[in-house]
Amino acid sequence: MTRRYQRGARDLADEPRQVRKKYEVGARLRYLGPSDDVPPLFTTGDELIVCSRNRGGDGISARRADGVRDMVWPWEVGVLV
């Protein structure tokens, strides 16, 4: 199975599998909460879907089911199985 990662994301070749998974297009993530003083448009506990295009470099572009889209840091989310 071929995995497709966000276009525009940083190079993930040296990252562990659990980090790469967070950049897979269509992956489901749980927002755990903000890690700095610029929180995204999400609320702790929101379920997010990884978008096909990355707009944040090191961050992950994601959206909620209602279409709200923003960038989160990889350490601010967990992968839903």
Side-chain angles (χ1 to χ4, degrees):
M1 178 172 139
T2 303
R3 293 184 181 10
R4 193 168 74 114
Y5 298 102
Q6 285 188 326
R7 289 186 319 263
R10 65 188 172 98
D11 183 9
L12 302 169
D14 294 330
E15 293 294 335
R17 172 78 183 113
Q18 64 267 25
V19 172
R20 291 192 316 262
K21 175 73 176 167
K22 294 177 181 182
Y23 288 86
E24 287 182 17
V25 174
R28 292 175 41 235
L29 308 174
R30 174 80 61 208
Y31 180 61
L32 305 173
S35 64
D36 57 28
D37 59 348
V38 184
L41 299 173
F42 306 128
T43 302
T44 300
D46 280 352
E47 185 173 320
L48 310 175
I49 301 168
V50 176
C51 300
S52 61
R53 178 123 182 98
N54 184 299
R55 298 187 303 183
D58 286 345
I60 301 166
S61 290
R63 65 176 171 77
R64 285 192 316 228
D66 65 2
V68 172
R69 181 177 172 164
D70 205 348
M71 187 278 299
V72 294
W73 298 115
W75 49 86
E76 293 179 330
V77 293
V79 177
L80 294 174
V81 183

